Amino acid sequence: MANISWEAPYCGEGNNCYRIGVDGDGNSYIAVAGQEGHPLTDSRAALQALIRDIKAGKADHLLAD
């Protein structure tokens, strides 16, 4: 597996924690904390686009109670 630099886990109110990481080859990774050996992978550009879209409100419908 690539040498991934993982960020600290992002945790919600419960036990759901996610980690985001990148490697030196321009790939990005998202994994459930504790299961970093089975991440979703894509390009760093795709991760940047995802973060921009979330910040722009395109995932706000997922926050509805």
Side-chain angles (χ1 to χ4, degrees), residues 3-64:
N3 186 17
I4 303 168
S5 296
W6 291 103
E7 296 288 326
Y10 296 92
C11 299
E13 297 275 326
N15 295 329
N16 300 320
C17 299
Y18 294 92
R19 296 193 76 186
I20 296 174
V22 295
D23 67 19
D25 294 326
N27 300 307
S28 65
Y29 303 84
I30 299 175
V32 173
Q35 297 185 22
E36 289 84 352
H38 303 286
L40 298 172
T41 63
D42 208 327
S43 67
R44 189 174 295 207
L47 177 61
Q48 291 168 339
L50 173 66
I51 293 168
R52 283 188 195 103
D53 284 350
I54 290 170
K55 289 177 76 173
K58 293 183 180 180
D60 286 356
H61 63 282
L62 298 173
L63 299 174

